[in-house]
Amino acid sequence: MSPPNSVPDQFRPGFLPPSVAKQMQDNSPGQQRPLTPAPLDDVLADGTKYKPAGKLQGKKAVVTGGDSGIGRAVCILYALEGADIFLHYHPAEETDAQDTKEYIFKVAPNAKVELCAQDLREEKACLEMVEKIRKWSSGLVHILVNNHATQQEVPAIGDLSSEQWRHVMIDNSHSFFYLTKNILPMMPWGGSIINNASITTNPFVGHPGLLDYTATKGAIVGFTRALSNQIVKEKGVRVNAVCPGPIWTPLVAATMTKESLESFGLTTAIGRAGQPVEVATAFVFLASADSSYFTAQCFHVNGGQPY
């Protein structure tokens, strides 16, 4: 049976963006604007717009890497749900960050959005951003989303440079520690920390072309579970991870090989890549009181991809 005509093409099994390999970018983590069609941020699989219910009204949320891809969709849905947003982005992503802020005001005119450009590869830079967050939030943060990441597909370990290994480790895992450690004292009972991991994470799949990236995502899963066990009873702050499968984002276009792009998402049970909105809804759930009995969990938003 075919999907109803109201279903956007991006949600149909077998869908690949036209000329997907020609959309490869060389500017990791990539630009959202050139992607055709644009990743879906707030349009659901039945063709309707996301319907907010005030689940995050009055909350203050920090989202790293919020300019594009999954982070952009999370910021949009959080704003729709009533949260004030501190949107971090890499300095090279100014255009995408401004586009995201503009779109948020379009769909949520009363939203409050603070943009912050920061390269988080150094502890000093992370601490500088924490002070900006402290001033913005008056020392109260309800939701922390550690979402930013980098990757570059390298098929063989012999071709993976030590420089890339260090860069990915620092950006994808060390910065999560620096930010979480220093933002946690601002979080009240009932707060939520959500880390973006990946289905590639050991012991789930282990992408052969993303050795360094997979290692960092495995670290994030361990960090999530151990931190939850350390703080949830004493501080009442829950810690969970979302482990996306293949999701159509600028990072994919900027870092995957031509061969990977030409079959991207087609091996999942659903038969297509996911859209950022399909991951962002999990972030809404984990940030809200709906998930008050969920902690130390890994949510696999992966289209039924086995692991």
Side-chain angles (χ1 to χ4, degrees), residues 9 13 27 33 51 60 76 94 98-99 108 112 137 140 174 184 196-197 252 266-267 271 275 289 305:
D9 288 342
N27 55 334
R33 183 175 289 187
K51 297 178 178 62
K60 293 184 183 294
I76 291 168
E94 182 70 32
Q98 293 294 342
D99 284 350
K112 295 179 180 179
S137 68
L140 182 64
H174 294 188
L184 181 59
N196 203 354
V252 168
L266 299 185
T267 60
Q275 293 294 318
Q305 187 167 331

Side-chain angles (χ1 to χ4, degrees), residues 130-179:
V130 168
E131 288 309 306
K132 294 175 184 178
I133 291 168
R134 193 185 311 277
K135 292 177 182 178
W136 164 79
S137 68
S138 299
L140 182 64
V141 174
H142 301 90
I143 304 156
L144 170 60
V145 174
N146 289 310
N147 166 72
H148 65 284
T150 188
Q151 66 177 30
Q152 188 66 53
E153 189 172 4
V154 178
I157 188 171
D159 297 324
L160 179 61
S161 70
S162 298
E163 180 184 7
Q164 178 176 319
W165 176 269
R166 286 192 296 270
H167 170 66
V168 172
M169 287 289 167
I170 290 168
D171 205 23
N172 291 10
S173 57
H174 294 188
S175 56
F176 280 37
F177 166 72
Y178 300 142
L179 293 175

